[in-house]
């Protein structure tokens, strides 16, 4: 147990860290100059609201499919300032937040969903090369580590499921895992050797934005949409400085307040927090190993995810997901000292050899959380508006697929994608406040209790499992 003086000491070590995402504040990779907001009156074929990865992939694919179409992206802040620049940079081929989650919801479609996921991953790799996007792409794979003895039993089952769908998955016992990455907390692990790349998500976003402009698309920042309504055969939106009429609109608003009331039923903002260290000296990194530089996450319900950056900083996040009453968002919630301090405690328990290392960045960001843990879709205004939201922390890769589905929907296309149950079905809605807040807190408490009792799911978690809203990660 960490003592009070020790907690104070750890907190002191984090105070000097810049309260900003490393990806957005890395002096070696500065952000591009701001783009001007939209002004005046304009008309476009396709308007995309939201300049994160989902919105950018929507615009890029629309221009690739129809080079003569006019496309505009409106971003309320800066490109990559939202979830797209605040995550850990794990780009997974999974569209369903893991095979187990997909099998529990759409078992008959999993062969198709995994095939789509594999193709989506390959298309992202291809686009990164085709447009010369310098995002640090590294296909390292990912290790799921058993940080408690009871979790070891899951490894063989998870490996068998991965191999069933053609993935390269290797179970590592305690010694083999510690030879890869040396931590006294590890009991075993599952190395997914393909289907996961590590990227700098902000640079990926900036590169996609440049590619869109290269194909003739328009991007505007600081263009907060305040109103959306039908107008004739199209849709009209307003910002503080502009009015745009579009034939079709795709909403890619992530966890931010949506323009359609129905989205509020299915998506809530849950804050995740992250630390980034100073570059780790070569001798200290050698003591850990990690020569294959895999992304890592542990198998707890409240899990950590971590990785090395290109310049050998340790990025460490997760565990303490926070929902604020009423779905409140904003800059005031991007810093939570008690969570950042807890993350540092856990980091040093996992890697005690890093005692004394400094930290340069700390931040938080809102995850668009859905009760089924993966993207949900819908349309509005007689099909002229489509949306793809609710990626629940796995949107770095799945956002491209979500964008492709949204384009199919807004164009009224009957495709293999739009016929998926995953696309046609809605998730279990969240209850209204105050029941929503109470339910989230009850779930957090139940997950903590399960982690403390060898993963045994109590009555509340079993109820969620039965109604199709089982929180298992």
């Amino acid at each position: 147990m960490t003592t009070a003086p020790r907690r104070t000491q750890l907190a002191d070590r984090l105070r000097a860290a810049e309260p900003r995402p490393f990806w957005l504040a890395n002096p070696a990779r500065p952000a591009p100059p701001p783009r001007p907001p939209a002004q005046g009156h304009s008309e476009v074929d396709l308007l995309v609201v939201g300049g994160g990865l989902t919105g950018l992939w929507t615009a890029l694919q629309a221009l690739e499919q129809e080079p003569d179409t006019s496309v505009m992206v409106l971003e309320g802040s800066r490109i990559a300032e939202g979830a797209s620049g605040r995550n850990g940079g794990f780009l997974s081929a999974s569209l369903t937040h893991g095979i187990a989650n997909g099998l529990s919801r759409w078992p008959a479609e999993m062969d198709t969903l995994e095939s789509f996921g594999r193709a989506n991953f390959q298309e992202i790799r291809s686009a990164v090369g085709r447009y010369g996007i310098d995002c640090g792409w590294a296909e390292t794979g990912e290790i799921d580590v058993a940080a408690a003895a009871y979790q070891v039993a899951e490894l063989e089952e998870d490996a068998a499921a991965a191999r069933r769908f053609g993935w390269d998955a290797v179970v590592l016992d305690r010694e083999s895992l510690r030879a890869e990455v040396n931590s006294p907390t590890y009991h075993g692990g599952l190395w997914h050797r393909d289907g996961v790349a590590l990227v700098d998500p902000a640079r990926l976003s900036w590169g996609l934005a440049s590619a869109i402009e290269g194909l003739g698309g328009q991007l505007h920042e600081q263009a907060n949409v305040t109103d959306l309504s039908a107008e004739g055969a199209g849709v009209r939106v307003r910002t503080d400085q502009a009015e745009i009429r579009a034939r079709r609109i795709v909403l890619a608003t992530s966890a931010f307040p949506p323009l359609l009331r129905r989205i509020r039923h299915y998506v809530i903002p849950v804050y995740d927090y992250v630390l980034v260290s100073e570059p780790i000296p070569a001798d200290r990194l050698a003591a850990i190993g990690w020569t294959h530089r895999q992304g890592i996450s542990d198998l707890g319900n409240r899990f950590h995810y971590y990785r090395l950056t290109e310049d050998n900083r340790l990025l460490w996040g997760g565990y303490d997901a926070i929902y604020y009453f009423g779905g409140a968002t904003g800059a005031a919630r991007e810093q939570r000292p008690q969570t950042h301090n807890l993350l540092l405690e856990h980091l040093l328990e996992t890697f005690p050899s890093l005692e004394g290392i400094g930290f340069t960045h700390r931040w938080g960001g809102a995850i668009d959380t859905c009760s089924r843990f993966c993207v949900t879709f819908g349309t509005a205004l007689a099909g002229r508006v489509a949306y793809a939201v609710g990626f629940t922390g796995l949107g770095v890769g799945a956002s491209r697929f979500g964008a492709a589905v949204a384009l199919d929907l807004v164009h009224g296309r009957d495709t293999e994608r739009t016929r998926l149950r995953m696309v046609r079905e809605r998730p279990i809605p969240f209850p209204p406040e105050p029941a929503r807040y109470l339910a989230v807190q009850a779930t957090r408490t139940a997950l903590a209790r399960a982690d403390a009792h060898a993963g045994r799911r109590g009555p509340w978690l079993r109820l969620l499992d039965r109604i199709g809203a089982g929180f298992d990660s």
Side-chain angles (χ1 to χ4, degrees), residues 48-56 73-76 79 223 225 250-254:
V48 181
V49 179
L53 285 166
T54 304
L56 296 170
V73 179
L74 299 180
E75 166 53 40
I79 299 295
V225 176
V250 170
L251 300 179
T253 49
S254 186

Side-chain angles (χ1 to χ4, degrees), residues 217-335:
Q218 304 175 61
L219 288 97
H220 296 286
E221 298 178 308
Q222 303 296 344
N224 185 47
V225 176
T226 58
D227 179 68
L228 179 154
S229 59
E231 184 178 86
V235 185
R236 182 188 62 202
V237 303
R238 289 192 175 96
T239 72
D240 295 335
Q241 302 180 54
E243 182 175 294
I244 301 106
R245 189 174 184 277
R247 293 174 59 198
R248 300 177 179 88
I249 291 182
V250 170
L251 300 179
T253 49
S254 186
F256 294 95
L259 294 167
L260 295 177
R261 183 175 299 175
R262 70 190 66 179
I263 296 176
R264 296 178 186 269
H265 300 308
Y266 301 122
V267 175
I268 62 173
V270 174
Y271 273 79
D272 178 58
Y273 295 90
V274 187
L275 301 175
V276 165
S277 77
E278 64 189 9
I280 301 171
D283 58 336
R284 302 189 75 173
L285 188 56
I288 298 173
W290 217 342
T291 57
H292 291 108
R293 307 178 68 84
Q294 305 96 329
I296 300 177
S297 60
D298 60 59
L299 291 171
N301 289 302
R302 299 178 301 165
F303 65 96
H304 308 88
Y305 58 86
Y306 42 108
R307 58 166 291 187
L308 295 171
T309 65
E310 291 172 282
D311 58 350
N312 288 335
R313 301 169 189 264
L314 175 58
L315 179 148
W316 182 278
Y319 189 79
D320 200 13
I322 304 296
Y323 173 73
Y324 294 96
F325 186 84
T329 58
R333 292 161 184 87
E334 293 171 6
Q335 297 297 318

